[in-house]
Amino acid sequence: MTRLVVVGASLAGLRAVEGARKAGFTGSVTLVGAEEHLPYDRPPLSKAFLDGPVAAPVFREEQVLRDELGVELVLGTRAHALDPAGRVVHAGEGEIPYDGLVIATGATARTLPGTSHLAGVHTLRTLDDALAVRAALDAGSRTVVIGAGFIGSEVASAARKRGLPVTVVEAAPTPLLRAIGAMGEPCSALHRANGTDLRCGVAVTGVEGRGRVERVRLADGTTLDAGLVVVGAGAVPATDWLAGSGLTLEDGVVCDETLATGLPGVYAAGDVARWANPLFGRAMRLEHWSSAAEQGAAAGVAAALPGTAKPYETVPYFWSDWYDARIQFAGVPDADEIRVVLGDPDEGRFVALYRSGDRLTGVLAVNKQREIMKFRALIARRTDWSGALDFAARRREPVSEGVR
């Protein structure tokens, strides 16, 4: 195998390149990216990057990629088709042949229909998005955020740090319902405590303005004035370019437990990959930094060195910074029981455990950074519920009654 091609100059794509080289691959490596930017770190875009004029969070300088890792960079070039029979990626106006291929094209932010003609309406997924949002915040724009998930709540935090009025509109009953399940009320309390106007359980029916956004209309008849609207309505896997390739595309590129797609030499990693996670016995597609990094490295080695693929299992993990709080979650949020075992949600510092059957399957920590990885390790070891509660008791704080 002499030619490794990685499509997607993302975290997963970069780690695929690094993983292949670290494993001893000496053939050619081509990294294709739709954006003109070098691979950069996305989580800071909605956190520190919005707070002030900091440099773009680039992972590696171009010279390192070209000279030390021996990568041919094809940036600002979008892949638009895959020909598995000929083992060719069609990108821009050219063709890139491969022996091994890693698909790491990530996901694309959902937009709000009918707003493309309005200035001041943004998503926040790319570096260019973040630059535009930061400029609007610097200008003191009255902000409306649609969606109280990670991105939306972090934008709200950045706006409030500037003293700007901000309203967050969320269709679900509480923030992060899909991400952390029934523990959303403490997240709501964080918004309220920091002066954010949080509107849950209400949908947006329209965004209006003459050339530039002026107001947002809600289903309850309310009208919100706005100079900046940030749409944080999630993302969809970037798989359009793979139509007709023979890959199974169902909420991402469907892979087996080794991240193999079923096409010879083709693997997927990161936000675009939906793979069978052996730890939980289910298919998952994760949009988390840690899993993208791990999957990228694993897929890069497997694609570059045939016969080396191994099952990849992980405990999903994410973190989010809201105001002065750190929210962390590991595992899966669907549960038969959720129980607070350390701290107190009313005080804004606690750990809650999630039970499915007789097994610990999730943990939420708010301002308890020292605890989260200990419980994540228990999930990875398939610890039963009683064992998890015993461990929590040894942390020297009382176990509370179940939340549900």
Side-chain angles (χ1 to χ4, degrees):
M1 213 280 279
T2 60
R3 299 170 299 187
L4 173 65
V5 174
V6 179
V7 181
S10 57
L11 170 63
L14 176 63
R15 292 292 187 261
V17 170
E18 294 173 335
R21 289 299 194 212
K22 186 176 180 180
F25 178 67
T26 59
S28 69
V29 176
T30 302
L31 180 62
V32 183
E35 296 181 58
E36 295 182 353
H37 306 295
L38 293 167
Y40 58 86
D41 201 12
R42 292 187 187 276
L45 296 182
S46 56
K47 301 178 177 70
F49 192 79
L50 291 185
D51 292 340
V54 296
V58 173
F59 286 114
R60 290 179 178 269
E61 297 300 328
E62 182 173 351
Q63 182 179 359
V64 173
L65 290 168
R66 292 189 185 277
D67 297 342
E68 295 185 19
L69 287 173
V71 178
E72 178 184 354
L73 295 172
V74 183
L75 302 178
T77 304
R78 188 176 299 276
H80 56 83
L82 171 63
D83 174 10
R87 292 206 171 194
V88 168
V89 172
H90 296 269
E93 298 181 357
E95 297 181 352
I96 304 174
Y98 69 86
D99 297 307
L101 173 66
V102 176
I103 298 169
T105 42
T108 303
R110 288 191 177 94
T111 58
L112 201 62
T115 60
S116 60
H117 66 292
L118 291 176
V121 179
H122 299 280
T123 56
L124 183 44
R125 180 80 185 178
T126 69
L127 178 57
D128 293 338
D129 292 338
L131 288 168
V133 171
R134 187 170 74 181
L137 293 173
D138 288 344
S141 298
R142 176 180 289 273
T143 304
V144 173
V145 177
I146 300 174
F150 313 128
I151 299 297
S153 296
E154 288 166 4
V155 170
S157 177
R160 291 303 300 144
K161 285 182 180 180
R162 289 170 167 79
L164 301 178
V166 57
T167 301
V168 177
V169 181
E170 171 57 57
T174 62
L176 296 181
L177 184 63
R178 292 180 61 187
I180 65 173
M183 289 298 294
E185 181 52 39
C187 298
S188 297
L190 277 174
H191 283 304
R192 292 192 294 264
N194 286 278
T196 295
D197 181 4
L198 176 66
R199 312 280 185 97
C200 287
V202 61
V204 171
T205 57
V207 178
E208 302 171 345
R210 295 184 178 180
R212 171 169 290 276
V213 64
E214 299 173 12
R215 70 193 69 85
V216 176
R217 293 195 179 276
L218 307 184
D220 62 5
T222 303
T223 300
L224 305 172
D225 292 336
L228 167 66
V229 172
V230 179
V231 182
V236 293
T239 59
D240 288 353
W241 69 283
L242 297 168
S245 65
L247 291 169
T248 302
L249 305 176
E250 296 175 2
D251 185 32
V253 178
V254 176
C255 308
D256 68 12
E257 61 186 16
T258 71
L259 302 172
T261 66
L263 293 180
V266 181
Y267 293 78
D271 297 7
V272 76
R274 183 173 181 82
W275 99 110
N277 188 345
L279 185 61
F280 293 92
R282 68 174 78 171
M284 293 183 175
R285 187 179 68 83
L286 303 177
E287 297 180 7
H288 307 328
W289 192 98
S290 56
S291 55
E294 294 167 357
Q295 288 180 0
V301 173
L305 303 172
T308 63
K310 299 178 181 178
Y312 168 74
E313 67 176 35
T314 191
V315 178
Y317 167 72
F318 71 81
W319 76 96
S320 190
D321 293 324
W322 299 15
Y323 312 102
D324 293 322
R326 169 62 62 91
I327 299 169
Q328 296 166 286
F329 187 86
V332 293
D334 49 312
D336 299 320
E337 177 185 0
I338 303 174
R339 185 179 301 194
V340 175
V341 294
L342 301 176
D344 186 344
D346 291 338
E347 296 177 0
R349 291 172 54 84
F350 68 95
V351 173
L353 301 185
Y354 291 58
R355 175 182 66 80
S356 294
D358 190 39
R359 181 175 159 189
L360 173 68
T361 51
V363 54
L364 170 68
V366 177
N367 290 324
K368 284 283 191 179
Q369 290 91 319
R370 293 184 177 182
E371 303 295 337
I372 188 75
M373 290 306 173
K374 298 179 177 67
F375 288 99
R376 187 187 186 204
L378 295 185
I379 298 171
R381 294 199 291 268
R382 298 172 169 79
T383 302
D384 64 23
W385 185 240
S386 62
L389 295 181
D390 288 344
F391 179 83
R394 293 196 296 272
R395 303 303 296 167
R396 299 182 180 177
E397 291 189 38
V399 177
S400 76
E401 294 301 317
V403 172
R404 64 178 177 132

